[in-house]
Amino acid sequence: MASHRLLANGASTDHPVPGLPFVDDTHLTADPPPGAGASRPTPDPQRAGFAWIVRAHPQMGRTVLLYGTGPDGTGPWDWQPGQPLVSRAGGYWWDGTRWLRPPQLWDEDAGAFEEQAVPGAATITAADLLEDPLADPVRGHLHQASTLTGQSEAVDAAQWLHDLARWAARRTTATDRLPLQSCVVNLTAPELAGDRLIGTPALAAAASISASALRAYISRGQGAVPEPQAIVGNRPMWSRPVAENWAAHRRRPAASRWPTRRDRPALPAHAEQLRRRLDPVLFSALWDDPERRARWVLRHRTADAVREVAADLAHLAADRLHDTLPAQALAEVITRAALADFAAGSGRSPAVQQLLSWLAHHQPHTAEEAVAAITDQAALQFGIPRPDLLQLLRPAASTAPLEPADPHGRAA
């Protein structure tokens, strides 16, 4: 669960978020390219610490939202690059024709989250709400960003209906905007009815953890706890399907997920020795370095920040693993195997080719020494011309960079 500090709707949005004030956004002139998702944050010219995010779709229109940024300019754009155009009730989202539950269950084979349509869901549009005869555009408000306090400012239902009417009246001159019948405001569904939502104890029970553990997860931003579907009396409430999906997500093994401490398989002796060497080194890198330790602050838990830490650890591990390679012994074995191939008249075997190429990637200097030793001894013992030997051995000792593997372990 994350506090997004969503403050207001832009006046040019096509899909207003219920309960939020409308703010003048005439300074925003261009949509992001269709299909590009969200624009980068645009600072508000009237108010420091505010930023606009515009999302656009060629058929579904656009959303314009005003956020409060963090002290260092961070905001929801840092951790939600794939956020749907229209999302309501804690992550329920609209794809243009149907409502789907929040994405929680990852399908390893498909490489995407499972899509679960919401049974009995109905879309509430701006046109539906404006059928209310009490909606009065004259009593509606259009704010300036400079008048907002910077805190989430919910508008009561009666006033928001007037604000919506004023927003709709302004759209009559915008011929390129969606009709009110296509402007999505909210959804209803049986599973989102108030008497069917569950609280913290029931969500914890679904996941087989204590309520106190769940509250700790929420306060620390851990455990991928889903956003609540509603806040009732300052208490978060979830739909039963969202709770069950979260529990299933916690139980479902993932091929790319690191095993927990209790689930780790026993390592071979040499690998265990290496683990013991790396364990304190990695801990020190993560905890003793003040710059990296600051990454554990909640506002720094973004994809880019985690990627930087992962890159540091990958470099550190690669450097330490490099020291464990018995390069000279391996070069001697490769040399003897290559000479045995030449003695048998079979040329260079695939196994020698693979090992020599591998050594060239990890210890280029040692690989060059092995090539020189093989060339000298083969020329002396078998009379093979040196140019022929070098031509045969050099491709295997090429130091072309290795291709990176994808997150699922397949070569790119």
Side-chain angles (χ1 to χ4, degrees), residues 127-385:
D128 296 330
L129 294 176
L130 292 172
E131 290 179 356
D132 190 327
L134 296 179
D136 184 359
V138 176
R139 299 169 64 183
H141 299 311
L142 177 64
H143 300 267
Q144 298 296 319
S146 59
T147 65
L148 301 182
T149 65
Q151 302 299 319
S152 297
E153 301 184 31
V155 179
D156 68 69
Q159 181 58 51
W160 195 79
L161 187 61
H162 301 320
D163 294 352
L164 183 70
R166 179 167 180 173
W167 164 83
R170 286 171 53 90
R171 292 175 64 84
T172 57
T173 59
T175 58
D176 60 338
R177 293 303 175 201
L178 295 180
L180 295 177
Q181 297 90 330
S182 300
C183 295
V184 176
V185 176
N186 215 335
L187 82 152
T188 62
E191 65 192 56
L192 292 173
D195 60 351
R196 299 186 66 176
L197 299 179
I198 63 174
T200 300
L203 178 63
S208 301
I209 60 175
S210 66
S212 60
L214 175 58
R215 293 188 184 95
Y217 281 157
I218 294 172
S219 65
R220 298 169 185 166
Q222 298 174 341
V225 180
E227 291 189 42
Q229 277 56 73
I231 303 294
V232 180
N234 292 325
R235 295 182 179 181
M237 305 293 287
W238 292 265
S239 73
R240 177 66 65 177
V242 166
E244 292 174 351
N245 280 346
W246 182 57
H249 164 75
R250 290 173 55 82
R251 293 191 298 266
R252 179 176 293 187
S256 59
R257 190 178 300 158
W258 285 359
T260 61
R261 190 178 187 90
R262 65 173 179 270
D263 296 331
R264 292 175 190 154
L267 293 171
H270 183 71
E272 174 61 22
Q273 191 176 39
L274 179 62
R275 185 199 66 76
R276 291 182 180 180
R277 288 179 56 192
L278 286 177
D279 193 337
V281 173
L282 295 179
F283 175 80
S284 178
L286 291 171
W287 192 252
D288 295 340
D289 187 304
E291 183 176 349
R292 290 197 191 95
R293 188 170 179 175
R295 296 295 190 184
W296 308 132
V297 178
L298 181 59
R299 63 187 175 86
H300 284 308
R301 293 179 193 167
T302 66
D304 288 342
V306 173
R307 192 173 291 111
E308 288 178 11
V309 173
D312 288 346
L313 294 181
H315 184 276
L316 180 61
D319 183 60
R320 295 306 174 102
L321 287 170
H322 189 268
D323 295 338
T324 68
L325 174 67
Q328 291 298 333
L330 181 59
E332 184 176 345
V333 171
I334 293 172
T335 300
R336 293 183 180 182
L339 293 175
D341 287 342
F342 290 133
S346 59
R348 186 190 60 189
S349 68
V352 168
Q353 177 181 353
Q354 183 178 2
L355 284 175
L356 187 55
S357 178
W358 186 89
L359 184 63
H361 282 109
H362 292 80
Q363 293 277 5
H365 181 69
T366 304
E368 289 292 333
E369 291 179 345
V371 168
I374 294 170
T375 302
D376 289 343
Q377 295 184 44
L380 180 63
Q381 295 180 30
F382 311 114
I384 304 174

Side-chain angles (χ1 to χ4, degrees), residues 380-401:
L380 180 63
Q381 295 180 30
F382 311 114
I384 304 174
R386 290 177 183 272
D388 294 346
L389 287 167
L390 288 174
Q391 186 177 6
L392 181 65
L393 294 171
R394 286 292 180 187
S398 170
T399 56

